[in-house]
Amino acid sequence: MNSEILLTSDGSHSLYVPEIDECYHSTHGAVQESRHIFIDAGLKQCHKPEICVLEIGFGTGLNAFLTLLEAERSEKKINYISLELFPVEINKALQLNYPDILAPDKRQVFKKMHTCAWNEEIQLTPFFGLNKIKTDFTEYVFKNNFDVVFFDAFSPEKQPEMWSDMQFEKIYAHCNEGAILTTYCAKGIVRRTMQSAGFEVERIPGPPGKREILRGVRR
């Protein structure tokens, strides 16, 4: 999908896709949105010393980069598996300003995240391993169980097949006990779908520009 770089309100970049009239992040701030939903509400709520993360939608690599930085800070080992059918063009991804505003010393690591091979496990740092899998999530057969899930697909209006009962049931079946799933979407139908799959779901305060988000836990 063709995309255009845009500057969000917190000074960080995102991408806009004219074809579906959708942004990869909130225009109120890409970094603050991703950090709030996926790091603070998700990853930091998992207290295991080693964590397996599943991300639905690698996109700009922002969630993965923030996770890598948190792994380095906390010295927790994280195995990060990300599913993406339409990778962002490498040249465009490397124009994104995340390393500049988050960790200039990790610029080469961010570059490697985007340039490393797909469908291979890559150890980017002593604490962070990445496996980008180029696949259609709706058809993918999981080979791992997960402790944290970042559900970051395009909206249900744009990609309804990604948000179906079947897909959340598939994720739930591969979640470890206590696993946490977070998503930016707080629609009632998504909450009910998550609950139907087995998750215990709560609405929690969202980042600037968004009143609520959803967090599910496998008990």
Side-chain angles (χ1 to χ4, degrees), residues 136-164:
D136 184 338
F137 161 61
T138 65
E139 298 178 0
Y140 184 69
V141 178
F142 290 122
K143 302 174 181 64
N144 301 75
N145 284 352
F146 307 101
D147 304 300
V148 176
V149 180
F150 299 162
F151 201 95
D152 202 17
F154 285 125
S155 68
E157 292 81 11
K158 308 298 182 180
Q159 291 186 317
E161 70 281 2
M162 302 283 280
W163 301 80
S164 71

Side-chain angles (χ1 to χ4, degrees), residues 27-107:
T27 58
H28 292 277
V31 164
Q32 69 181 5
E33 178 191 44
S34 290
R35 180 182 283 137
H36 180 102
I37 298 170
F38 300 111
I39 306 303
D40 294 341
L43 182 65
K44 286 186 178 180
Q45 306 307 309
C46 182
H47 303 297
K48 293 183 176 182
E50 294 190 21
I51 299 172
C52 188
V53 176
L54 168 67
E55 178 186 39
I56 308 300
F58 184 74
T60 64
L62 176 56
N63 294 337
F65 191 52
L66 286 170
T67 301
L68 181 149
L69 296 178
E70 178 59 22
E72 297 297 296
R73 185 200 66 79
S74 65
E75 297 188 347
K76 289 185 176 182
K77 291 188 176 181
I78 295 179
N79 177 30
Y80 196 96
I81 298 169
S82 187
L83 310 183
E84 177 64 68
L85 184 58
F86 301 108
V88 173
E89 296 174 17
I90 291 177
N91 289 340
K92 187 160 292 178
L94 297 184
Q95 296 176 52
L96 299 170
N97 66 358
Y98 307 140
D100 298 330
I101 63 178
L102 291 170
D105 62 316
K106 295 290 193 296
R107 188 174 287 107

